[in-house]
Every structure is written in C-alpha cells, then in structure tokens.
Coordinates of all heavy atoms in Angstrom, one line a residue:
M1 N -22.8 -15.3 42.0 CA -23.5 -15.2 40.8 C -24.6 -16.2 40.8 O -24.5 -17.3 41.0 CB -22.5 -15.4 39.6 CG -23.0 -14.9 38.3 SD -21.7 -15.1 37.0 CE -21.2 -13.5 36.8
T2 N -25.8 -15.6 40.5 CA -27.0 -16.5 40.5 C -27.1 -17.1 39.1 O -26.6 -16.7 38.1 CB -28.2 -15.6 40.8 OG1 -28.4 -14.7 39.7 CG2 -28.1 -14.9 42.1
P3 N -27.9 -18.2 39.0 CA -28.2 -18.8 37.7 C -28.8 -17.9 36.7 O -28.6 -18.0 35.5 CB -29.2 -20.0 38.1 CG -28.9 -20.3 39.5 CD -28.5 -19.0 40.1
K4 N -29.6 -16.9 37.2 CA -30.2 -15.9 36.3 C -29.1 -15.1 35.7 O -29.2 -14.8 34.5 CB -31.2 -15.1 37.1 CG -32.0 -14.2 36.3 CD -33.0 -13.4 37.1 CE -33.9 -12.6 36.3 NZ -34.9 -11.8 37.1
D5 N -28.1 -14.7 36.5 CA -27.0 -13.9 35.9 C -26.2 -14.7 34.9 O -25.8 -14.2 33.9 CB -26.0 -13.4 37.0 CG -26.7 -12.5 38.0 OD1 -27.7 -11.8 37.5 OD2 -26.3 -12.4 39.2
V6 N -26.0 -16.0 35.2 CA -25.2 -16.8 34.2 C -26.0 -17.0 32.9 O -25.4 -16.9 31.8 CB -25.0 -18.2 34.9 CG1 -24.4 -19.2 33.8 CG2 -24.1 -18.1 36.1
A7 N -27.3 -17.1 33.0 CA -28.1 -17.2 31.8 C -28.1 -15.9 31.0 O -28.0 -16.0 29.8 CB -29.6 -17.6 32.2
H8 N -28.1 -14.8 31.7 CA -28.1 -13.5 31.0 C -26.7 -13.4 30.3 O -26.7 -12.9 29.2 CB -28.3 -12.4 32.0 CG -28.1 -11.0 31.4 ND1 -28.9 -10.5 30.5 CD2 -27.1 -10.1 31.6 CE1 -28.5 -9.3 30.1 NE2 -27.4 -9.1 30.8
L9 N -25.6 -13.7 31.0 CA -24.3 -13.6 30.3 C -24.2 -14.5 29.1 O -23.6 -14.2 28.1 CB -23.2 -13.9 31.4 CG -23.0 -12.9 32.4 CD1 -22.0 -13.3 33.4 CD2 -22.5 -11.6 31.8
A10 N -24.7 -15.7 29.2 CA -24.7 -16.7 28.1 C -25.4 -16.2 26.9 O -24.9 -16.3 25.8 CB -25.2 -18.0 28.6
T11 N -26.6 -15.6 27.1 CA -27.4 -15.1 26.0 C -26.7 -13.8 25.5 O -26.7 -13.6 24.3 CB -28.8 -14.8 26.4 OG1 -28.9 -13.9 27.5 CG2 -29.5 -16.1 26.7
H12 N -26.1 -13.0 26.3 CA -25.5 -11.8 25.9 C -24.3 -12.1 25.0 O -24.0 -11.5 24.0 CB -25.1 -10.9 27.1 CG -24.4 -9.7 26.7 ND1 -25.1 -8.7 26.1 CD2 -23.2 -9.2 26.8 CE1 -24.3 -7.6 25.9 NE2 -23.1 -7.9 26.3
D13 N -23.5 -13.1 25.4 CA -22.3 -13.5 24.7 C -22.7 -14.1 23.3 O -22.1 -13.9 22.3 CB -21.4 -14.5 25.5 CG -20.7 -13.8 26.6 OD1 -20.6 -12.6 26.6 OD2 -20.3 -14.5 27.6
A14 N -23.8 -14.9 23.3 CA -24.2 -15.6 22.1 C -24.7 -14.5 21.1 O -24.5 -14.7 19.9 CB -25.3 -16.6 22.4
S15 N -25.4 -13.5 21.6 CA -25.9 -12.5 20.7 C -24.7 -11.7 20.1 O -24.8 -11.2 19.0 CB -26.9 -11.6 21.4 OG -26.2 -10.8 22.3
Q16 N -23.6 -11.5 20.8 CA -22.5 -10.8 20.2 C -21.7 -11.6 19.2 O -21.2 -11.0 18.3 CB -21.5 -10.4 21.3 CG -22.0 -9.2 22.2 CD -21.0 -8.8 23.2 OE1 -20.1 -9.5 23.5 NE2 -21.2 -7.7 23.8
T17 N -21.7 -12.9 19.3 CA -21.0 -13.7 18.3 C -21.9 -14.0 17.1 O -21.3 -14.5 16.1 CB -20.6 -15.1 19.0 OG1 -21.7 -15.8 19.5 CG2 -19.6 -14.8 20.1
D18 N -23.2 -13.8 17.2 CA -24.0 -14.0 16.0 C -23.9 -12.8 15.1 O -24.5 -11.8 15.3 CB -25.5 -14.2 16.5 CG -26.4 -14.5 15.3 OD1 -25.9 -14.9 14.2 OD2 -27.6 -14.4 15.5
S19 N -23.1 -13.0 14.0 CA -22.9 -11.9 13.1 C -24.0 -11.7 12.1 O -24.0 -10.7 11.4 CB -21.6 -12.1 12.3 OG -21.7 -13.3 11.5
S20 N -25.0 -12.6 12.0 CA -26.0 -12.4 11.0 C -27.0 -11.3 11.4 O -27.6 -10.7 10.6 CB -26.8 -13.7 10.9 OG -27.5 -14.0 12.1
N21 N -27.0 -10.9 12.7 CA -27.9 -9.9 13.2 C -27.1 -8.6 13.6 O -27.7 -7.7 14.2 CB -28.8 -10.3 14.3 CG -29.8 -11.4 13.9 OD1 -30.2 -11.3 12.8 ND2 -30.1 -12.3 14.8
H22 N -25.9 -8.6 13.3 CA -25.0 -7.5 13.8 C -24.9 -6.4 12.7 O -24.7 -6.7 11.6 CB -23.6 -8.0 14.1 CG -22.7 -6.9 14.6 ND1 -22.9 -6.3 15.8 CD2 -21.6 -6.4 14.1 CE1 -21.9 -5.4 16.0 NE2 -21.2 -5.4 14.9
L23 N -25.2 -5.2 13.1 CA -25.1 -4.1 12.2 C -24.0 -3.1 12.7 O -24.0 -2.7 13.9 CB -26.4 -3.3 12.2 CG -26.4 -2.0 11.3 CD1 -26.2 -2.4 9.9 CD2 -27.7 -1.3 11.5
N24 N -23.0 -2.9 11.9 CA -21.9 -2.0 12.3 C -22.4 -0.6 12.0 O -22.4 -0.2 10.8 CB -20.6 -2.4 11.5 CG -19.4 -1.6 12.0 OD1 -19.6 -0.5 12.5 ND2 -18.3 -2.2 11.9
H25 N -22.7 0.1 13.0 CA -23.3 1.4 12.8 C -22.4 2.4 12.1 O -22.8 3.3 11.3 CB -23.8 2.0 14.1 CG -24.9 1.2 14.7 ND1 -26.2 1.3 14.2 CD2 -25.0 0.3 15.7 CE1 -27.0 0.5 14.8 NE2 -26.3 -0.1 15.8
A26 N -21.1 2.4 12.4 CA -20.1 3.3 11.8 C -20.1 3.0 10.3 O -20.1 4.0 9.5 CB -18.7 3.1 12.4
V27 N -20.0 1.8 9.9 CA -19.9 1.5 8.4 C -21.2 1.8 7.8 O -21.3 2.4 6.7 CB -19.6 -0.1 8.2 CG1 -19.8 -0.4 6.8 CG2 -18.3 -0.4 8.8
F28 N -22.4 1.5 8.4 CA -23.7 1.9 7.9 C -23.8 3.4 7.7 O -24.3 3.9 6.6 CB -24.8 1.3 8.8 CG -26.2 1.7 8.3 CD1 -26.7 1.0 7.2 CD2 -26.9 2.7 8.9 CE1 -28.0 1.3 6.8 CE2 -28.1 3.0 8.4 CZ -28.7 2.3 7.4
R29 N -23.4 4.1 8.7 CA -23.5 5.6 8.6 C -22.7 6.2 7.5 O -23.3 7.0 6.7 CB -23.1 6.2 9.9 CG -23.3 7.7 10.1 CD -22.8 8.2 11.4 NE -23.4 7.5 12.5 CZ -22.6 6.8 13.4 NH1 -21.3 6.8 13.3 NH2 -23.2 6.2 14.4
Y30 N -21.5 5.8 7.3 CA -20.6 6.4 6.3 C -21.1 5.9 4.9 O -21.0 6.6 3.9 CB -19.2 6.1 6.5 CG -18.7 6.9 7.7 CD1 -18.2 6.3 8.9 CD2 -18.7 8.3 7.7 CE1 -17.7 7.0 9.9 CE2 -18.2 9.0 8.8 CZ -17.7 8.4 9.9 OH -17.3 9.1 10.9
S31 N -21.5 4.6 4.8 CA -22.0 4.1 3.5 C -23.3 4.9 3.1 O -23.4 5.2 1.9 CB -22.4 2.6 3.7 OG -21.2 1.9 4.0
L32 N -24.2 5.1 4.1 CA -25.4 5.9 3.8 C -25.1 7.3 3.3 O -25.6 7.8 2.3 CB -26.3 5.9 5.0 CG -27.6 6.6 4.8 CD1 -28.5 5.9 3.7 CD2 -28.4 6.7 6.1
I33 N -24.1 7.9 4.0 CA -23.7 9.3 3.6 C -23.1 9.3 2.2 O -23.5 10.1 1.3 CB -22.7 9.9 4.6 CG1 -23.4 10.2 5.9 CG2 -22.0 11.1 4.0 CD1 -22.5 10.5 7.0
A34 N -22.3 8.3 1.9 CA -21.6 8.2 0.5 C -22.7 8.0 -0.5 O -22.7 8.6 -1.6 CB -20.6 7.1 0.5
I35 N -23.7 7.1 -0.3 CA -24.7 6.8 -1.3 C -25.6 8.0 -1.5 O -25.9 8.4 -2.6 CB -25.5 5.6 -0.8 CG1 -24.7 4.3 -0.9 CG2 -26.8 5.5 -1.6 CD1 -25.3 3.1 -0.2
V36 N -26.0 8.7 -0.4 CA -26.8 9.9 -0.6 C -26.1 11.0 -1.4 O -26.7 11.6 -2.3 CB -27.3 10.4 0.8 CG1 -27.9 11.8 0.7 CG2 -28.3 9.5 1.4
L37 N -24.8 11.2 -1.1 CA -24.0 12.2 -1.8 C -23.9 11.8 -3.3 O -24.0 12.7 -4.2 CB -22.7 12.4 -1.2 CG -22.7 13.1 0.2 CD1 -21.3 13.1 0.8 CD2 -23.2 14.5 0.1
L38 N -23.6 10.6 -3.5 CA -23.5 10.1 -4.9 C -24.8 10.3 -5.7 O -24.8 10.8 -6.8 CB -23.0 8.7 -4.9 CG -22.6 8.1 -6.3 CD1 -21.4 8.8 -6.8 CD2 -22.4 6.6 -6.1
V39 N -25.9 9.9 -5.1 CA -27.2 10.1 -5.8 C -27.5 11.6 -6.0 O -28.0 12.0 -7.0 CB -28.3 9.4 -5.0 CG1 -29.7 9.7 -5.5 CG2 -28.1 7.9 -5.1
A40 N -27.2 12.4 -5.0 CA -27.5 13.8 -5.1 C -26.7 14.4 -6.2 O -27.1 15.2 -7.0 CB -27.2 14.5 -3.8
Y41 N -25.4 14.0 -6.3 CA -24.5 14.5 -7.4 C -25.1 14.1 -8.7 O -25.1 14.9 -9.7 CB -23.1 13.9 -7.1 CG -22.2 14.1 -8.3 CD1 -21.7 15.4 -8.7 CD2 -21.8 13.0 -9.1 CE1 -20.9 15.5 -9.8 CE2 -20.9 13.2 -10.1 CZ -20.5 14.4 -10.5 OH -19.7 14.6 -11.6
A42 N -25.5 12.8 -8.8 CA -26.0 12.3 -10.1 C -27.3 13.0 -10.5 O -27.5 13.2 -11.7 CB -26.2 10.8 -10.0
M43 N -28.1 13.3 -9.5 CA -29.4 14.0 -9.9 C -29.2 15.5 -10.1 O -29.9 16.0 -11.0 CB -30.4 13.8 -8.7 CG -30.9 12.4 -8.6 SD -31.9 12.1 -7.2 CE -33.3 13.1 -7.6
G44 N -28.3 16.1 -9.4 CA -28.1 17.5 -9.5 C -27.3 18.0 -10.7 O -27.5 19.0 -11.3
F45 N -26.3 17.1 -11.1 CA -25.4 17.4 -12.1 C -25.3 16.3 -13.1 O -24.4 15.6 -13.3 CB -24.0 17.7 -11.6 CG -23.9 18.8 -10.5 CD1 -23.9 18.5 -9.2 CD2 -23.9 20.1 -10.9 CE1 -23.9 19.5 -8.2 CE2 -23.9 21.1 -10.0 CZ -23.8 20.8 -8.6
T46 N -26.4 16.1 -13.8 CA -26.6 14.9 -14.6 C -25.6 14.8 -15.7 O -25.0 13.7 -15.9 CB -28.1 14.9 -15.3 OG1 -29.0 15.1 -14.2 CG2 -28.4 13.6 -16.0
E47 N -25.3 15.8 -16.5 CA -24.4 15.8 -17.6 C -23.0 15.5 -17.1 O -22.2 14.7 -17.6 CB -24.4 17.1 -18.4 CG -25.7 17.2 -19.1 CD -25.8 18.5 -19.9 OE1 -24.7 19.2 -20.0 OE2 -26.9 18.9 -20.4
Q48 N -22.6 16.2 -16.0 CA -21.2 16.0 -15.5 C -21.1 14.6 -14.9 O -20.1 13.9 -15.0 CB -20.9 17.0 -14.4 CG -20.7 18.4 -14.9 CD -22.1 19.2 -15.0 OE1 -23.1 18.6 -14.8 NE2 -22.0 20.4 -15.3
A49 N -22.1 14.1 -14.2 CA -22.1 12.8 -13.6 C -22.0 11.7 -14.7 O -21.3 10.7 -14.6 CB -23.3 12.5 -12.8
T50 N -22.8 11.9 -15.8 CA -22.7 11.0 -16.9 C -21.3 10.9 -17.5 O -20.8 9.8 -17.8 CB -23.7 11.4 -18.0 OG1 -25.0 11.4 -17.5 CG2 -23.6 10.4 -19.2
A51 N -20.7 12.0 -17.7 CA -19.3 12.1 -18.2 C -18.3 11.4 -17.2 O -17.4 10.7 -17.6 CB -18.9 13.5 -18.5
F52 N -18.5 11.7 -15.9 CA -17.6 11.2 -14.9 C -17.7 9.7 -14.8 O -16.7 8.9 -14.8 CB -17.9 11.8 -13.5 CG -17.1 11.2 -12.4 CD1 -15.8 11.4 -12.3 CD2 -17.8 10.4 -11.5 CE1 -15.1 10.9 -11.2 CE2 -17.1 9.8 -10.4 CZ -15.7 10.1 -10.3
F53 N -19.0 9.1 -14.7 CA -19.2 7.7 -14.6 C -18.7 7.0 -15.9 O -18.2 5.9 -15.9 CB -20.6 7.4 -14.3 CG -21.0 7.9 -12.9 CD1 -22.3 8.5 -12.8 CD2 -20.2 7.7 -11.9 CE1 -22.7 8.9 -11.5 CE2 -20.6 8.2 -10.6 CZ -21.8 8.8 -10.4
G54 N -18.9 7.7 -17.1 CA -18.4 7.1 -18.3 C -16.9 7.0 -18.3 O -16.3 6.0 -18.7
Y55 N -16.2 8.0 -17.8 CA -14.8 8.0 -17.7 C -14.3 6.9 -16.7 O -13.4 6.2 -17.0 CB -14.2 9.3 -17.2 CG -12.8 9.3 -16.8 CD1 -11.8 9.4 -17.8 CD2 -12.4 9.2 -15.5 CE1 -10.5 9.3 -17.4 CE2 -11.1 9.2 -15.1 CZ -10.1 9.2 -16.1 OH -8.8 9.1 -15.8
C56 N -15.0 6.7 -15.6 CA -14.7 5.7 -14.6 C -14.8 4.3 -15.2 O -14.0 3.4 -15.0 CB -15.6 5.8 -13.4 SG -15.2 7.2 -12.4
L57 N -15.9 4.1 -16.0 CA -16.1 2.8 -16.6 C -15.1 2.5 -17.7 O -14.5 1.4 -17.7 CB -17.5 2.8 -17.2 CG -18.0 1.4 -17.8 CD1 -17.9 0.3 -16.8 CD2 -19.3 1.6 -18.5
D58 N -14.7 3.5 -18.4 CA -13.6 3.4 -19.4 C -12.3 3.0 -18.7 O -11.6 2.2 -19.2 CB -13.5 4.6 -20.3 CG -14.6 4.8 -21.3 OD1 -15.3 3.8 -21.5 OD2 -14.8 5.9 -21.7
W59 N -12.0 3.7 -17.7 CA -10.8 3.5 -16.9 C -10.7 2.1 -16.4 O -9.7 1.4 -16.5 CB -10.6 4.5 -15.8 CG -9.3 4.3 -15.1 CD1 -8.1 4.8 -15.4 CD2 -9.1 3.6 -13.8 NE1 -7.2 4.4 -14.5 CE2 -7.8 3.6 -13.5 CE3 -10.0 2.9 -13.0 CZ2 -7.3 3.0 -12.4 CZ3 -9.5 2.3 -11.9 CH2 -8.2 2.3 -11.6
I60 N -11.8 1.6 -15.8 CA -11.9 0.2 -15.3 C -11.7 -0.8 -16.4 O -10.9 -1.7 -16.3 CB -13.2 0.0 -14.5 CG1 -13.2 0.8 -13.2 CG2 -13.4 -1.5 -14.2 CD1 -14.5 0.8 -12.5
G61 N -12.4 -0.5 -17.5 CA -12.3 -1.5 -18.6 C -10.9 -1.5 -19.2 O -10.3 -2.6 -19.6
N62 N -10.2 -0.3 -19.4 CA -8.9 -0.3 -19.9 C -7.8 -0.8 -19.0 O -6.8 -1.3 -19.4 CB -8.5 1.2 -20.4 CG -9.4 1.6 -21.5 OD1 -9.8 0.8 -22.4 ND2 -9.6 2.9 -21.6
T63 N -8.0 -0.6 -17.7 CA -7.0 -0.9 -16.7 C -7.1 -2.4 -16.3 O -6.1 -3.1 -16.3 CB -7.2 -0.1 -15.4 OG1 -7.1 1.3 -15.7 CG2 -6.1 -0.4 -14.4
F64 N -8.3 -2.9 -16.1 CA -8.5 -4.3 -15.7 C -8.9 -5.2 -16.8 O -8.7 -6.4 -16.7 CB -9.4 -4.4 -14.5 CG -8.9 -3.6 -13.3 CD1 -9.5 -2.4 -12.9 CD2 -7.9 -4.1 -12.5 CE1 -9.0 -1.7 -11.8 CE2 -7.4 -3.4 -11.4 CZ -8.0 -2.2 -11.1
G65 N -9.6 -4.7 -17.8 CA -9.9 -5.4 -19.0 C -10.6 -6.8 -18.8 O -11.7 -6.8 -18.1
W66 N -10.0 -7.8 -19.3 CA -10.6 -9.1 -19.3 C -10.8 -9.7 -17.9 O -11.8 -10.4 -17.6 CB -9.8 -10.1 -20.1 CG -8.5 -10.4 -19.5 CD1 -7.3 -9.8 -19.8 CD2 -8.2 -11.4 -18.5 NE1 -6.3 -10.3 -19.0 CE2 -6.8 -11.3 -18.2 CE3 -8.9 -12.4 -17.9 CZ2 -6.2 -12.1 -17.3 CZ3 -8.3 -13.2 -16.9 CH2 -6.9 -13.1 -16.7
Y67 N -9.9 -9.3 -16.9 CA -10.1 -9.8 -15.6 C -11.3 -9.2 -14.9 O -12.1 -10.0 -14.3 CB -8.9 -9.4 -14.7 CG -9.0 -9.8 -13.3 CD1 -8.8 -11.1 -12.9 CD2 -9.3 -8.9 -12.3 CE1 -8.9 -11.5 -11.6 CE2 -9.4 -9.3 -11.0 CZ -9.2 -10.6 -10.7 OH -9.4 -11.0 -9.4
Y68 N -11.6 -8.0 -15.1 CA -12.8 -7.4 -14.6 C -14.1 -8.0 -15.2 O -15.0 -8.3 -14.5 CB -12.8 -5.9 -14.8 CG -14.1 -5.2 -14.5 CD1 -14.4 -4.9 -13.1 CD2 -15.0 -4.7 -15.4 CE1 -15.6 -4.3 -12.8 CE2 -16.1 -4.1 -15.1 CZ -16.4 -3.9 -13.8 OH -17.6 -3.3 -13.5
M69 N -14.1 -8.1 -16.5 CA -15.2 -8.7 -17.1 C -15.5 -10.2 -16.7 O -16.6 -10.6 -16.5 CB -15.1 -8.7 -18.7 CG -15.0 -7.3 -19.2 SD -16.4 -6.3 -18.6 CE -17.4 -6.3 -20.0
L70 N -14.4 -10.9 -16.5 CA -14.5 -12.3 -16.0 C -15.1 -12.3 -14.6 O -16.0 -13.1 -14.3 CB -13.2 -13.0 -16.1 CG -13.1 -14.5 -15.7 CD1 -13.9 -15.3 -16.7 CD2 -11.7 -14.9 -15.6
A71 N -14.6 -11.5 -13.8 CA -15.0 -11.4 -12.4 C -16.5 -11.0 -12.3 O -17.3 -11.6 -11.5 CB -14.2 -10.5 -11.6
V72 N -16.9 -10.0 -13.1 CA -18.3 -9.6 -13.0 C -19.2 -10.7 -13.6 O -20.3 -10.8 -13.1 CB -18.4 -8.3 -13.8 CG1 -19.9 -7.9 -14.1 CG2 -17.7 -7.1 -13.1
T73 N -18.7 -11.4 -14.5 CA -19.6 -12.5 -15.1 C -19.7 -13.7 -14.2 O -20.7 -14.3 -14.1 CB -19.0 -12.9 -16.5 OG1 -18.9 -11.8 -17.3 CG2 -19.8 -14.0 -17.1
L74 N -18.6 -14.1 -13.6 CA -18.6 -15.3 -12.7 C -19.1 -15.0 -11.3 O -19.7 -16.0 -10.7 CB -17.1 -15.8 -12.6 CG -16.6 -16.4 -13.9 CD1 -15.1 -16.9 -13.6 CD2 -17.4 -17.5 -14.4
Y75 N -19.0 -13.9 -10.8 CA -19.5 -13.6 -9.4 C -20.9 -14.0 -9.2 O -21.2 -14.7 -8.2 CB -19.3 -12.1 -9.1 CG -19.7 -11.8 -7.7 CD1 -18.9 -12.2 -6.6 CD2 -21.0 -11.3 -7.4 CE1 -19.3 -11.9 -5.3 CE2 -21.4 -11.0 -6.1 CZ -20.6 -11.3 -5.1 OH -21.0 -11.1 -3.8
P76 N -21.9 -13.6 -10.0 CA -23.3 -14.0 -9.7 C -23.5 -15.5 -9.8 O -24.2 -16.1 -9.0 CB -24.1 -13.3 -10.8 CG -23.3 -12.2 -11.3 CD -21.8 -12.7 -11.1
G77 N -22.8 -16.2 -10.7 CA -23.0 -17.6 -10.8 C -22.3 -18.4 -9.7 O -22.8 -19.5 -9.3
L78 N -21.2 -17.9 -9.1 CA -20.5 -18.6 -8.1 C -21.0 -18.3 -6.7 O -21.0 -19.1 -5.8 CB -19.0 -18.3 -8.2 CG -18.4 -18.9 -9.4 CD1 -16.9 -18.4 -9.5 CD2 -18.4 -20.4 -9.5
F79 N -21.4 -17.0 -6.4 CA -21.6 -16.6 -5.1 C -23.1 -16.2 -4.8 O -23.4 -15.9 -3.6 CB -20.7 -15.5 -4.7 CG -19.2 -15.8 -4.8 CD1 -18.5 -15.4 -5.8 CD2 -18.7 -16.7 -3.9 CE1 -17.1 -15.7 -5.9 CE2 -17.4 -17.1 -3.9 CZ -16.6 -16.6 -5.0
M80 N -23.9 -16.1 -5.8 CA -25.2 -15.6 -5.5 C -26.3 -16.7 -5.8 O -27.3 -16.4 -6.4 CB -25.5 -14.3 -6.4 CG -24.6 -13.2 -6.0 SD -24.9 -11.7 -7.0 CE -26.4 -11.2 -6.3
R81 N -26.0 -17.9 -5.4 CA -26.9 -19.0 -5.6 C -28.0 -18.9 -4.6 O -27.8 -18.6 -3.4 CB -26.1 -20.3 -5.5 CG -25.1 -20.5 -6.5 CD -24.5 -21.8 -6.4 NE -23.4 -21.9 -7.4 CZ -22.5 -22.8 -7.3 NH1 -22.4 -23.7 -6.4 NH2 -21.6 -22.9 -8.3
P82 N -29.2 -19.4 -4.9 CA -30.3 -19.4 -3.9 C -30.0 -20.5 -2.9 O -29.4 -21.5 -3.2 CB -31.5 -19.8 -4.7 CG -31.1 -20.1 -6.1 CD -29.6 -19.7 -6.3
T83 N -30.4 -20.2 -1.7 CA -30.1 -21.2 -0.6 C -31.2 -22.2 -0.5 O -32.3 -22.1 -0.9 CB -29.9 -20.4 0.7 OG1 -31.1 -19.6 1.0 CG2 -28.7 -19.6 0.7

C-alpha cells in the first residue's frame, strides 16, 4: 500500500464519519414524496384538508393537552438558540 492509498483511505473514512455533510437519500426521498403529496392534497381538496387538519389539531390538543403545549413552547427556547 502506497502513502497515496493510505491518504485516500484516511480522507474517505473521515468523510463517512462527518455526519454534518451526510444526506440519507432514502429518508430524503420518502420525506419529499410525503411533503409533495400533503401539499397537493391541501391544495386540491382545500375544504376537506381544512377539516382534516382541524380534527388532527383537536385530537392532539385533547390527547396530549398541556404536555404538547409545554413542549411546543419550550422547544424553540431550549434547542433553537443561535450559535
């Protein structure tokens, strides 16, 4: 193994462990499909989507109540601080 091969392996391994530049294509693909379908549904069936999302919001509020509201309120303050 030449020094050039060792340097290539070292940079290749380092790029795989650097998660800040890693894009999981399977997750991205399915997330994109879900978002496009959700937006198409909301745009195509506005009244039904409004009723459905209202029902979902009511269900979340009634099921999780104060815990959900507390989590939604605290999350930006605790985890979305500027660096």
Side-chain angles (χ1 to χ4, degrees):
M1 198 176 251
T2 66
K4 188 176 184 180
D5 294 334
V6 172
H8 173 69
L9 288 175
T11 57
H12 182 67
D13 290 339
S15 67
Q16 285 183 346
T17 59
D18 182 19
S19 63
S20 64
N21 292 330
H22 180 69
L23 177 65
N24 189 332
H25 293 285
V27 173
F28 178 77
R29 185 178 310 117
Y30 290 117
S31 298
L32 182 63
I33 290 169
I35 290 168
V36 167
L37 289 175
L38 189 64
V39 169
Y41 168 69
M43 290 176 65
F45 304 98
T46 308
E47 292 177 11
Q48 292 86 353
T50 301
F52 174 71
F53 294 138
Y55 171 78
C56 291
L57 185 60
D58 288 341
W59 180 82
I60 290 170
N62 292 331
T63 304
F64 298 106
W66 66 269
Y67 177 75
Y68 172 74
M69 296 309 257
L70 183 66
V72 168
T73 303
L74 291 179
Y75 179 81
L78 294 176
F79 299 106
M80 298 179 73
R81 295 182 184 164
T83 55

